[in-house]
Amino acid sequence: MALPPPPVRVTRPKPLPEPEPPLPQPKDATPAPPPPAGETYGTQVLFRNNRASASETAKREHKLLFVMHISGNFEDSCFT
Amino acid sequence: MNALANVEAGKYLNDNFVSSYQKVGTFTVNGAQKQGGNVASYFCTPEGRVLHAIAGPVNADALLREARWVVETSKLAELDGLTTDTKLRAFWRKAHSDRLAQEHQMDLKLTRRSLRGGPHPQLDSRGRVHLLLATAALPKLEQVYRLVFEKILNEKVSTAPVVRIGG
């Protein structure tokens, strides 16, 4: 006499665990914004206060150099 | 009007140039009045060779026009494949000579002899800048700034601080 087939056991896969919410980034891990490359002194033009660094930047960025020779302090008066 | 405060001029300068400044002169503040003082603007290669200059204050339109002329003329030199110092000097010499002829009615070929006679009182500061850069193209900034400030702008190069008189 034949044996009855074994009962089929249906195993349901376990549901995947919910992904954990990302940990909040510590405040000091946020990269600091780069320091400003220069100052505008109330104009629309960004001025480096060092011609040598301006020259290096111009070479690197394939730009020309704009140099202003002024009387007095640029911060106080713009002779343009 | 402050040309550097103009948005369009500022954007063009920032897009095409890296800017810096240098105090080379001084002026006197007498009460509320400013006496003396001036500005010279130089458009240079990254190495500090002067392509063009503006002697004195200008409005935003003039600043933008001259800046564009420098950029477009530089591009033309690049397009022509001018890389040697000799060829670049000749190119910029001709560029300034052409403007001297077109805008100031001065033909350098005809007036070369008279240049030995000294300054040209009929030329304004713009013309004198073209004359300078047509006769000595692509000078180092160090070689011409004193001449521009003292002979074209009639200011003294000075390290003295600004002098304040009265309140």
Side-chain angles (χ1 to χ4, degrees), chain A residues 41 43-48 51 54-55 58-59 63-72 76-80, chain B residues 1-5 14-25 34 37-40 42 44 46 58 142:
Chain A
Y41 302 106
T43 72
Q44 295 289 328
V45 179
L46 184 68
F47 284 95
R48 270 82 172 170
R51 201 189 117 193
S55 182
K59 280 180 197 167
K63 291 183 177 180
L64 296 173
L65 199 59
F66 179 65
V67 183
M68 291 193 76
H69 280 182
I70 55 173
S71 304
D76 288 345
S77 68
C78 295
F79 285 96
T80 54
Chain B
M1 179 183 173
N2 185 345
L4 298 177
N14 290 333
D15 286 348
N16 293 282
F17 297 86
V18 178
S19 304
S20 73
Y21 67 93
Q22 170 74 50
K23 175 188 177 303
V24 296
K34 191 186 291 175
N38 219 317
V39 60
Y42 298 91
C44 306
V58 292
E142 297 77 23

Side-chain angles (χ1 to χ4, degrees), chain B residues 91-147:
Chain B
F91 176 85
W92 282 96
R93 185 179 298 122
K94 182 175 185 315
H96 284 287
S97 298
D98 287 349
R99 288 196 65 181
L100 198 54
Q102 289 159 11
E103 298 168 25
H104 303 276
Q105 294 73 49
M106 178 179 274
D107 187 339
L108 267 187
K109 288 172 194 161
L110 300 175
T111 55
R112 178 100 39 200
R113 188 174 296 171
S114 69
L115 286 174
R116 296 178 192 132
H120 284 250
Q122 73 271 26
L123 281 178
D124 61 12
S125 62
R126 291 179 303 129
R128 286 181 183 200
V129 165
H130 286 307
L131 179 60
L132 171 67
L133 296 175
T135 49
L138 294 186
K140 287 183 178 175
L141 181 54
E142 297 77 23
Q143 293 174 316
V144 291
Y145 84 93
R146 192 176 289 271
L147 197 152

Side-chain angles (χ1 to χ4, degrees), chain A residues 62, chain B residues 72-83 88 91:
Chain A
H62 302 288
Chain B
E72 295 307 318
T73 309
S74 295
K75 284 182 188 171
L76 192 58
E78 207 175 303
L79 184 67
D80 285 347
L82 305 177
T83 50
L88 278 171
F91 176 85

Side-chain angles (χ1 to χ4, degrees), chain A:
Chain A
M1 189 176 155
L3 291 173
V8 177
R9 294 179 66 184
V10 178
T11 55
R12 291 186 177 172
K14 285 184 180 177
L16 290 172
E18 288 283 320
E20 290 183 13
L23 292 172
Q25 291 285 327
K27 279 182 181 174
D28 55 359
T30 308
E39 291 186 52
T40 57
Y41 302 106
T43 72
Q44 295 289 328
V45 179
L46 184 68
F47 284 95
R48 270 82 172 170
N49 56 15
N50 179 323
R51 201 189 117 193
S53 83
S55 182
E56 286 302 314
T57 308
K59 280 180 197 167
R60 197 172 55 246
E61 298 182 0
H62 302 288
K63 291 183 177 180
L64 296 173
L65 199 59
F66 179 65
V67 183
M68 291 193 76
H69 280 182
I70 55 173
S71 304
N73 302 313
F74 197 73
E75 297 86 338
D76 288 345
S77 68
C78 295
F79 285 96
T80 54

